[in-house]
Amino acid sequence: MTMLALALITLVLHGALTGLFYAFSMSVMPGLNTLDPARAEEAMRGINRKILNPWLYLVFLGSPVAALVAGFVASSVWFFAAAAVNFVGSFLVTMVINVPMNNAVDAGTMSWKEYSPRWTAFNTLRTVACAAGLVLVGIGLTAL
């Protein structure tokens, strides 16, 4: 695989993940907030079950891995920076904050009123981090 192809794949993965998180903060969560809290919780439980699929894993795990590989292949600090920003701002935030909150809503131990604003705030942080990673990949691409 050429470096250009690897860099473009990395760019697409970062763009897809940024778009996924953006869509949740800007449309999915506000839409769910228009529902009765019990219905919103039920809908979110369904979303959380269905989102766990190979396409999510490809984008979610593939973004930082592709950036890291591109950083090694191109000897580029831009790709390493993208991998780091994505790992901390997307992967760690997801695993430490968003997933435990999803589990709490699934178990019925967290109310929608508690869940929605906090989850959305951290999701927006993931969006910003992924967008920053996308910009870093773009800079790395132009530096090839």
Side-chain angles (χ1 to χ4, degrees), residues 59-76:
V59 172
F60 181 67
L61 300 173
S63 294
V65 170
L68 187 62
V69 171
F72 281 116
V73 172
S75 298
S76 170

Side-chain angles (χ1 to χ4, degrees), residues 2-17:
T2 69
M3 185 56 226
L4 179 60
L6 177 58
L8 288 172
I9 288 168
T10 304
L11 187 73
V12 168
L13 290 171
H14 276 74
L17 191 56

Side-chain angles (χ1 to χ4, degrees), residues 47-121:
I47 290 168
N48 286 335
R49 281 189 292 278
K50 292 298 183 180
I51 201 167
L52 299 176
N53 64 68
W55 294 110
L56 171 70
Y57 297 132
L58 173 68
V59 172
F60 181 67
L61 300 173
S63 294
V65 170
L68 187 62
V69 171
F72 281 116
V73 172
S75 298
S76 170
V77 68
W78 298 109
F79 292 105
F80 286 126
V85 167
N86 187 292
F87 180 77
V88 171
S90 173
F91 184 81
L92 285 182
V93 169
T94 298
M95 301 315 291
V96 172
I97 298 168
N98 290 87
V99 167
M101 290 178 69
N102 291 345
N103 292 341
V105 116
D106 191 44
T109 59
M110 181 179 269
S111 72
W112 187 256
K113 185 177 178 179
E114 269 184 287
Y115 174 85
S116 179
R118 184 168 182 244
W119 190 95
T120 303

